[in-house]
Amino acid sequence: MPGIAVGSLLDLDVGPVAHGGFCVARSGGRVVFVRHALPGERIRARVTDASHERYWRADAVAVLTPSPDRVVAPCPHTGPGLCGGCDWQHAGLAAQRRGKAEVVADALRRFGGLDARVSPAHAGSGLGTAAEAGPGAEPALEVLVEAVPVGGPERLTGSDRPGGADDGLAWRTRMRFAVTAGGEVGLRASRSHEVVATPDCRIAHPLVLAALAGRRFPGADAVEVAASPATGQVAVAVHPAGAGTVVNDEHAGTGEDPGEVGAPGEVVEVVGGRRFRLGPEVFWQVHPAAPGVLVDAVREALRPRAGETALDLYAGTGLFAAFLAEDVGAAGRVIALESDAASVAAAANNLADLPWVSLRALRVTPATVRGVVGTGGPAGRVDLAVLDPPRTGAGPAVVAALLAHRPRAVAYVACDPVALGRDLAAAAAAGYDLVVLRAFDLFPMTAHVECVALLEPRGADRNPNLV
């Protein structure tokens, strides 16, 4: 098929949502990944990238036939050529969640070899269509993306809930902003180095916006902000262009313990009554309710017992290790592996009151996982494990090494459904089945979705409360 020039206009019929915040359309047999469109729409699109032989990229610049799921975007900075921080501001929240459910189900089918479909609870709220189980087949795994308002989780009912608690805005507590030539904070346009000024970013938490209000950062390359709604603290780190980091430490407001502050640049987060001291450079979930939601989901799936041995791989700042340790008690043990030096230092502080946690500054590799426990008897036993890998996933070799310990249950926390699908296929090859999958909308307006998968040995007795 002949090439096409960037900037060319195409009239397209839009197909299903795709992983990454696009919809799929076709032009003369060529796949076109389109932003700012919705399934079922007829649009006019401007080609933004024609460098690939098998596909083009484009932005919808005019909607000729709109979807009933289309809404007026709440942010003035979204749209073709503007801020690339959000993907679905033009879709209602119910439609966003159905689209994410379809992306997860598709990844589990294509990469995990699983019979997965979108839950009927998403019916009528849709980006995309669900695959049905074939005649006589086992019931398909149903994917339901649960709403998580800023104040906490709520099971999706199939339609947007009125009120500000679940409007998809004002949730992001940690942000790294680029800086415009004029010193304003901003975010980059999609697939571009251009910085779009966004001092009023609609998904930023109010504490983040308040810390930056009226401020400019001339000569800075980036500005990082970490806010804790639990304590009201905010830390701002300014990264001068070509230089080191200057930390402007701000402990604003009052939280559960207004007298408690971290070291310069730190904020204190509170989850389940435990305090976690964190610098802005370490990983922490960016949705205020996410840490508690994920901890609850992992504990509910694993149901740790006193005296058990648990592994926490990619342990970060010790979030899961802390609550696993509380559950297994001093008669049990938790072995936590993390390689990032700043995260290890934070975890050491956060887990200091739990001496039966063995924190190890190690990369998660097949070798470190194989040698994580001693040999023989209880010393060499692994009962439970949590996997919370980066976006690339754990990988088949790490999955195989972990499952060679034959834990009775594994909770896999995934931020990328394709990587999850691949790792679930590796688990199936090692004799472990996916028993339960929960998905959470922890990143409204964006294409991202978080999953918690429970794996158990094939043929194991199932807990009827989890299936």
Side-chain angles (χ1 to χ4, degrees), residues 169-403:
L169 306 175
W171 52 267
R172 192 173 180 108
T173 60
R174 288 177 168 246
M175 297 193 70
R176 182 182 177 96
F177 292 94
V179 180
T180 69
E184 285 188 283
V185 295
L187 299 171
R188 299 191 188 279
S190 177
R191 308 182 69 80
S192 171
H193 295 294
E194 181 184 354
V195 180
V196 178
T198 56
D200 54 345
C201 174
R202 296 299 197 265
I203 64 171
H205 192 277
L207 287 173
V208 172
L209 296 182
L212 300 176
R215 299 177 64 178
R216 290 179 180 261
F217 302 89
D221 180 65
V223 177
E224 285 184 278
V225 186
S228 170
T231 60
Q233 298 168 344
V234 182
V236 180
V238 181
H239 299 263
T245 300
V246 176
V247 176
N248 299 324
D249 189 42
E250 303 176 12
H251 293 290
T254 58
E256 294 182 7
D257 186 352
E260 179 180 3
V261 298
E266 289 185 338
V267 296
V268 177
E269 298 280 1
V270 182
V271 183
R274 290 192 62 88
R275 284 163 168 73
F276 295 83
R277 287 173 53 179
L278 311 161
E281 77 281 7
V282 301
F283 174 79
W284 186 256
Q285 291 287 343
V286 297
H287 190 293
V293 165
L294 295 176
V295 164
D296 288 348
V298 166
R299 295 170 92 179
E300 180 181 340
L302 295 180
R303 297 183 181 264
R305 304 164 188 162
E308 288 191 314
T309 295
L311 302 184
D312 183 5
L313 305 183
Y314 313 94
T317 56
L319 176 66
F320 294 118
F323 292 98
L324 289 175
E326 289 186 358
D327 290 340
V328 303
R333 63 172 175 162
V334 176
I335 303 170
L337 270 61
E338 174 57 50
S339 61
D340 177 72
S343 295
V344 171
N349 178 74
N350 296 330
L351 301 170
D353 64 322
L354 301 165
W356 54 97
V357 177
S358 174
L359 175 62
R360 304 178 186 180
L362 295 171
R363 285 185 60 231
V364 176
T365 68
T368 58
V369 174
R370 280 193 297 268
V372 75
V373 291
T375 58
R381 187 187 70 222
V382 173
D383 300 296
L384 307 168
V386 178
L387 273 170
D388 186 11
R391 194 167 300 280
T392 51
V398 166
V399 171
L402 169 62
L403 299 183

